[in-house]
Amino acid sequence: MKKEVEIITINNTDYMIMKEAEHNGITYIFLSNPNDPADIMIRKNSKENENEYGPLENEEEFNIACLALFKDI
């Protein structure tokens, strides 16, 4: 069974959106590079444009994003 995945490009590298979660009006996404499974990142949507994603602000926000994304694991 094939599943469609959404791809976004960051710094000329394609990443698959593996998981998405919303917390307090912010959408966090967990990304993985299909050509390098060790290349992963978490981004959040921009307040100005919900279709743009940028880096997290700090370690506290990273912890919040991880809880939102992986609370069911």
Side-chain angles (χ1 to χ4, degrees):
M1 181 170 123
K2 287 189 176 188
K3 183 179 177 184
E4 283 190 37
V5 295
E6 191 172 345
I7 302 288
I8 65 173
T9 303
I10 299 172
N11 297 329
N12 297 319
T13 302
D14 289 336
Y15 290 88
M16 296 184 302
I17 298 178
M18 304 300 292
K19 191 157 187 173
E20 220 173 305
E22 193 259 326
H23 178 74
N24 288 342
I26 299 171
T27 301
Y28 297 100
I29 55 175
F30 175 65
L31 304 167
S32 177
N33 178 341
N35 298 314
D36 181 3
D39 183 10
I40 59 173
M41 69 175 72
I42 296 174
R43 295 285 184 138
K44 67 178 180 177
N45 68 308
S46 163
K47 290 180 182 175
E48 294 79 32
N49 182 347
E50 66 183 34
N51 294 317
E52 285 185 19
Y53 293 89
L56 305 180
E57 298 294 322
N58 52 40
E59 188 174 343
E60 180 181 354
E61 187 172 38
F62 173 78
N63 291 333
I64 290 168
C66 286
L67 285 171
L69 287 163
F70 307 117
K71 66 183 172 191
D72 60 331
I73 293 179

